[in-house]
Amino acid sequence: MVSPFNFSYPAVFNFGDSNSDTGGLAAGIAFPLGPPNGQTHFLEPSGRFCDGRLILDFLIDARGTPLLDPYLDSVGAPNFQRGCNFATGGSTILLANAASLSPFSFGIQVAQFVRFKARVLELLAKDKKLQKFLPQADYFREGLYMFDIGQNDLDGAFYSKSEDQVLALIPTILSEFETGIKELYNEGARNFWIHNTGPLGCLPRIITKFGKDPTKLDQIGCINSHNHAAQLFNTQLHALCTKFQEQLPETNVTYVDIFSIKVNLISNFSQFGFKEPLAACCGYGGPPLNFDNRIACGETKNLDGTLVTAKPCNNTAEYVNWDGNHYTEAANFHVSSQILTGKYTGLPVAVKTPFLHRSDRTRIVMKLTSSFLES
């Protein structure tokens, strides 16, 4: 199936968690994201949970427009002319509670968008010169709305619930997601680009915590229960996308199979130029996972009477995982390139959005590759 990623969308509005957070949590709650985060591309911390760029960054770059500024960042004169990023690390679909890393759950992000839109229209009505920094009124209807969220809901549930209880929670999670989508639709959103959730059970942090019993692992070393939950979540998310397409007039929905891309990468890592499919590049503890939940990437701590530092690996491009929870820039580049082939994007039913011609897809992937290699 060819990719329907339409590069003529005038703006992109993104919602999600750390997989697409370009600085929201760092700005919103002053979350400490110091070195070596950002070292590969930005050469300094950029508010991203990564050594460089995210999947979202590569997709935006392929559009030929500036990377998305976070809604919550008021310092540095953010420009929202081509869109805005509401994603924050640690965010869930379900309403945040006192134990949540991020207070900015999906409903809050949607509410922020509603305020953002109202404020933009108000400001543009007063001064048209602000179009240099704000999206035009028709961009809200013509723009692309991107989503990558839900992983933290499943992740957090496993710490207090059995596998069956986690699976039983999925319809409740997706009901909240449906509510948010419908609210955005009522605000004029029509073009939806929805990532499913990745293989949660393949994160070093999860394997370290839940993989002490080898029978809990699958053939590639990931936690069966967590990946099973992710797959069921994705099946129900796909069904919900089909429902959106059928019930919301004029809607264009693209469902992106991130899970399959990442599982294929981890399973066949050497074919794609990687040497470490599961171990964290930036961590502490050494093989096989190089992860210790007592010390985060870049931290120096006294562990068992010894002062240690969770340092990055020598070559981040050899690792799929960056810090035990997130992917490296190299892995994110691979995932985005796979998305752009069109093999992993699908529409539940036919839509009006024009498909990108094969020659255009090839040109964009080549541009993306050149950009990555030059950085």
Side-chain angles (χ1 to χ4, degrees):
M1 182 178 290
V2 289
S3 170
F5 194 85
N6 183 341
F7 291 83
S8 65
Y9 289 114
V12 172
F13 304 100
N14 185 72
F15 305 80
D17 53 30
S18 59
N19 289 311
S20 60
D21 180 358
T22 55
L25 195 68
I29 65 168
F31 188 86
L33 267 176
N37 290 291
Q39 67 173 28
T40 299
H41 177 74
F42 301 100
L43 307 182
E44 62 183 3
S46 67
R48 292 161 174 79
F49 291 78
C50 184
D51 62 305
R53 288 163 288 185
L54 309 175
I55 296 167
L56 173 68
D57 292 321
F58 284 115
L59 295 178
I60 294 297
D61 186 58
R63 296 176 71 248
T65 55
L67 303 184
L68 290 185
D69 284 326
Y71 171 74
L72 291 166
D73 197 353
S74 59
V75 179
N79 191 314
F80 300 122
Q81 184 187 45
R82 292 293 182 171
C84 184
N85 191 5
F86 299 89
T88 53
S91 290
T92 52
I93 292 175
L94 295 178
L95 192 64
N97 55 44
S100 301
L101 172 64
S102 168
F104 309 108
S105 52
F106 183 54
I108 298 297
Q109 293 181 23
V110 171
Q112 289 173 336
F113 168 81
V114 173
R115 181 188 184 279
F116 173 81
K117 179 189 172 188
R119 186 78 175 122
V120 165
L121 297 180
E122 178 186 326
L123 290 169
L124 290 179
K126 294 178 180 177
D127 187 353
K128 293 295 183 185
K129 292 179 181 178
L130 291 174
Q131 287 184 350
K132 291 179 182 179
F133 311 100
L134 301 174
Q136 297 179 34
D138 55 358
Y139 286 10
F140 290 104
R141 187 178 181 88
E142 298 171 5
L144 185 65
Y145 292 74
M146 301 180 73
F147 307 85
D148 191 333
I149 195 166
Q151 177 175 302
N152 290 324
D153 294 88
L154 300 177
D155 182 2
F158 270 105
Y159 282 86
S160 61
K161 301 182 188 313
S162 67
E163 180 179 353
D164 287 344
Q165 289 174 323
V166 174
L167 301 183
L169 182 64
I170 291 173
T172 302
I173 298 170
L174 289 177
S175 176
E176 186 72 15
F177 184 67
E178 180 178 12
T179 297
I181 291 289
K182 287 183 175 178
E183 186 167 353
L184 290 170
Y185 178 85
N186 291 335
E187 286 289 330
R190 292 295 182 269
N191 307 303
F192 299 96
W193 176 275
I194 301 174
H195 289 188
N196 71 10
T197 201
L200 180 62
C202 295
L203 299 178
R205 173 176 57 81
I206 302 294
I207 301 171
T208 300
K209 171 71 176 177
F210 295 92
K212 295 179 176 63
D213 180 353
T215 64
K216 307 277 188 188
L217 304 175
D218 62 17
Q219 66 272 18
I220 59 173
C222 303
I223 304 294
N224 274 311
S225 58
H226 287 62
N227 279 358
H228 180 215
Q231 288 174 298
L232 184 62
F233 176 91
N234 291 339
T235 298
Q236 294 185 28
L237 177 63
H238 187 276
L240 185 58
C241 289
T242 304
K243 181 180 175 181
F244 291 151
Q245 188 69 68
E246 293 173 346
Q247 295 187 359
L248 301 178
E250 304 175 0
T251 300
N252 297 324
V253 179
T254 303
Y255 173 89
V256 186
D257 190 3
I258 297 293
F259 184 96
S260 293
I261 298 175
K262 288 184 174 179
V263 165
N264 186 41
L265 169 59
I266 292 166
S267 302
N268 304 292
F269 62 95
S270 59
Q271 294 179 23
F272 302 115
F274 292 87
K275 293 183 179 179
E276 293 289 347
L278 295 176
C281 162
C282 185
Y284 175 75
L289 297 172
N290 193 37
F291 180 82
D292 189 318
N293 65 5
R294 297 174 297 174
I295 181 169
C297 170
E299 278 190 335
T300 297
K301 276 188 176 180
N302 190 318
L303 297 185
D304 304 321
T306 304
L307 200 64
V308 299
T309 301
K311 297 178 180 178
C313 56
N314 291 329
N315 186 354
T316 60
E318 295 179 348
Y319 284 69
V320 170
N321 194 281
W322 166 237
D323 59 2
N325 292 294
H326 308 95
Y327 286 61
T328 59
E329 173 175 283
N332 288 332
F333 169 74
H334 171 83
V335 174
S336 59
S337 297
Q338 291 299 301
I339 291 172
L340 290 170
T341 67
K343 296 176 184 176
Y344 298 92
T345 56
L347 297 166
V349 294
V351 297
K352 309 176 190 66
T353 304
F355 289 128
L356 200 61
H357 191 271
R358 181 180 299 276
S359 61
D360 292 333
R361 295 204 318 277
T362 302
R363 171 179 54 79
I364 289 164
V365 171
M366 288 177 67
K367 174 183 179 295
L368 228 150
T369 304
S370 175
S371 171
F372 177 70
L373 293 176
E374 289 172 2
S375 64

